[in-house]
């Protein structure tokens, strides 16, 4: 989850450690997007933009690999 990811990045002590946010994973985890406002932008190294259907199709792995949608779909 976001708290664990931030803890790992901060506690690593590595100057090249950061978050890569994937919208699909954030949606499937049910993240409250307002929580992202709490994240120091310097810790965000990348963002993967895609969309996710309201209901998961197949297993989590199948949905992740085969059912990502274009942004806005």
């Amino acid at each position: 989850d976001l708290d664990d990811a931030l803890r790992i990045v901060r506690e690593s002590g590595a100057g090249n450690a950061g978050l890569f946010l994937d919208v699909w994973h954030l949606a499937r985890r049910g993240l409250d997007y307002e929580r992202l406002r709490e994240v120091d932008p310097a810790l965000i190294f990348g963002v993967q933009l895609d969309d996710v259907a309201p209901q998961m199709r197949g297993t989590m792995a199948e949905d992740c690999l085969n059912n990502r949608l274009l942004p806005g779909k």
Side-chain angles (χ1 to χ4, degrees), residues 31-73:
L31 178 76
D32 176 3
Y33 292 107
E34 289 297 315
R35 293 252 0 254
L36 294 176
R37 293 180 188 275
E38 302 168 16
V39 178
D40 178 355
L43 295 179
I44 299 174
F45 282 19
V47 177
Q48 182 170 335
L49 297 177
D50 48 15
D51 216 337
V52 59
Q55 299 297 320
M56 187 167 55
R57 294 178 289 174
T59 66
M60 183 72 82
E62 290 168 342
D63 197 47
C64 177
L65 295 173
N66 302 320
N67 299 318
R68 291 173 182 253
L69 303 172
L70 294 173
K73 296 294 180 182

Side-chain angles (χ1 to χ4, degrees), residues 8-30:
I8 290 168
V9 168
R10 289 181 178 130
E11 290 179 7
S12 75
N16 64 345
L19 299 177
F20 193 98
L21 303 175
D22 181 332
V23 173
W24 187 93
H25 288 280
L26 299 177
R28 282 289 180 247
R29 293 282 298 169

